[in-house]
Amino acid sequence: MDLEERERIVTAYLSSRNLGDFTEQLICAAAVKENLEGHRLAVVYHDDRPYKRPIVAMCPSVDLEVVRAPDKKTPLEYFDVYAGAEIFDDPGAVEMGIHRSSLVLAGHALRSCALPSFPWVPKLRVPDQVRARSVDHLQALGLDPDRWFACFYWREPGYMGREPLPLRDILDPSPYLAAIDHVIDTLGGQVVRLGHPTPTTLRNHPSIIDLAKIEDSLATQITSISLARFFISSPSGPLTFGPGVGTPTAVTDNIDISGVWNDDDILVTQTIEIPNGRRYRQRAAYKAGFLRPGIAKQLSHPDAGCRFTKCTGPEIIHVANLLHQRTINVERWREPSAASDRPKTSQLPFPLMASVKEASLIEMPSG
């Protein structure tokens, strides 16, 4: 291996502890690596959550994991090229020589809202053994593999005792419940609900599987997303796995442009009403600058005088119909995404700025 090859290394520090943010950081790191010809990827993260190792195992782009104990810091001295590899306490890092990395990624360089501008974004893949166990689990619960199904998730308060987030919490799940009924009664599909246990109870129907009520079902939930015809989710952690595995996904009740990045994905914002009574959503909100990351927090401050309104049942049903039309050839459980050749561009859209595919900002019905 010549010197140039040895230095074709991307190292990413996956700092987040939240499920969705950690997964997005991983996908962003993989996308950077795969759009740079001949590079290898090392990811550094703390082993402080039970889901981190299984999620990294879903990413074929990772060449090396540097797993730090929860109480061990990750020193920048790792990348001291003058000190050499002697400072490392990880044999794999020494062997790869990540102190010679040509690119080190952390923080805002690893955000999913940058992915729409990438030439190519690699897909996550559920490991075969995990997929087989989860398939058996889903079939045991009554999900028919010869009929298609859709996944639904909405963020309700109460997960792990976290503080309420009014902008993102779904206090009234009735719009999502209406869309579930539509998928089953009108479109003829099955439904798998994802998430954590909440007081909301779904109707008793053989075509509804509620994984949110089943403890330790994360692997089955992720696998179900990969098998689904489409996925509808409010903006929260599980959302990331939809575009991550390549299942057409709609993020509903969103407050910025993050969450989806593939061509068949859909982004549906909340309605923002400013003090003069004018309302913005979708492209209008984007062009007004209201969907830039972090702006919603400012607009929702009481002094700003703005009001956010979440999606209605007919609006989420409209999204379900669009996704159903876009996936007309999916008649049963989805097969794993086939590996596709990435473009040999060796180019990245630096700086890694927030972006959106305007086609994902669909026109919503009025009224």
Side-chain angles (χ1 to χ4, degrees):
M1 183 180 300
D2 61 31
L3 180 61
E4 183 181 358
E5 289 178 306
R6 290 173 66 193
E7 293 180 345
R8 289 184 178 181
I9 300 170
V10 176
T11 297
Y13 174 44
L14 312 181
S15 58
S16 181
R17 294 170 178 81
N18 296 334
L19 174 71
D21 294 338
F22 179 82
T23 305
E24 287 184 354
Q25 288 184 326
L26 175 66
I27 294 171
C28 291
V32 171
K33 178 247 181 148
E34 296 294 351
N35 282 283
L36 295 174
E37 183 68 24
H39 279 63
R40 292 172 292 160
L41 173 63
V43 295
V44 182
Y45 62 93
H46 288 92
D47 191 17
D48 54 3
R49 295 293 186 274
Y51 45 72
K52 286 189 174 183
R53 287 178 185 262
I55 290 173
V56 174
M58 294 176 60
C59 185
S61 299
V62 173
D63 300 290
L64 172 69
E65 295 177 59
V66 180
V67 184
R68 307 286 292 169
D71 61 341
K72 297 292 185 182
K73 301 297 183 182
T74 303
L76 282 175
E77 283 75 10
Y78 264 14
F79 308 102
D80 182 356
V81 296
Y82 299 105
E86 292 80 4
I87 64 171
F88 289 107
D89 54 8
D90 183 281
V94 173
E95 182 178 356
M96 180 182 281
I98 67 171
H99 63 293
R100 295 188 299 266
S101 296
S102 59
L103 189 60
V104 179
L105 302 170
H108 276 240
L110 296 171
R111 300 180 301 163
S112 70
C113 55
L115 290 175
S117 64
F118 276 54
W120 186 71
V121 179
K123 301 293 190 295
L124 300 176
R125 289 184 63 86
V126 178
D128 291 341
Q129 289 185 340
V130 176
R131 184 177 187 275
R133 289 195 300 269
S134 299
V135 164
D136 289 343
H137 189 191
L138 289 168
Q139 288 185 279
L141 291 170
L143 199 67
D144 186 350
D146 293 321
R147 296 174 56 213
W148 67 268
F149 70 94
C151 283
F152 278 80
Y153 168 75
W154 56 92
R155 176 194 169 108
E156 292 190 42
Y159 178 65
M160 295 182 66
R162 291 182 182 172
E163 291 294 320
L165 290 175
L167 275 178
R168 295 172 61 192
D169 288 343
I170 304 299
L171 301 179
D172 176 14
S174 60
Y176 292 88
L177 299 178
I180 287 176
D181 289 344
H182 178 76
V183 166
I184 293 170
D185 299 334
T186 303
L187 301 182
Q190 305 174 96
V191 166
V192 174
R193 181 205 177 193
L194 312 176
H196 67 281
T198 71
T200 298
T201 300
L202 306 186
R203 66 169 169 149
N204 186 17
H205 193 284
S207 292
I208 297 178
I209 305 298
D210 191 355
L211 291 180
K213 301 295 187 183
I214 299 177
E215 292 186 3
D216 300 322
S217 62
L218 179 61
T220 304
Q221 294 194 32
I222 296 173
T223 302
S224 69
I225 296 171
S226 72
L227 300 170
R229 178 165 176 167
F230 57 84
F231 181 27
I232 294 177
S233 172
S234 71
S236 191
L239 161 69
T240 306
F241 293 102
V245 299
T247 295
T249 298
V251 51
T252 48
D253 286 313
N254 211 3
I255 54 176
D256 56 31
I257 57 171
S258 65
V260 292
W261 51 87
N262 298 318
D263 289 340
D264 288 329
D265 295 337
I266 292 172
L267 192 153
V268 183
T269 70
Q270 297 181 32
T271 300
I272 305 169
E273 183 177 338
I274 63 176
N276 66 8
R278 186 169 181 180
R279 296 182 176 185
Y280 294 82
R281 75 181 311 189
Q282 300 301 97
R283 287 190 177 91
Y286 177 58
K287 292 177 180 178
F290 295 158
L291 302 185
R292 297 197 307 272
I295 295 298
K297 186 175 182 180
Q298 299 176 25
L299 295 178
S300 63
H301 191 279
D303 293 342
C306 298
R307 186 164 67 96
F308 284 75
T309 304
K310 293 183 171 68
C311 297
T312 66
E315 289 171 344
I316 298 181
I317 288 172
H318 174 70
V319 170
N321 286 336
L322 280 178
L323 287 173
H324 182 260
Q325 293 167 11
R326 293 184 180 188
T327 56
I328 197 66
N329 294 325
V330 180
E331 298 178 349
R332 60 188 312 277
W333 290 9
R334 181 180 295 275
E335 295 296 325
S337 297
S340 57
D341 293 333
R342 61 178 175 84
K344 302 292 193 296
T345 60
S346 289
Q347 294 180 355
L348 285 175
F350 280 116
L352 302 179
M353 302 288 287
S355 60
V356 65
K357 292 181 184 293
E358 284 213 40
S360 69
L361 288 166
I362 60 170
E363 295 293 332
M364 294 296 291
S366 58

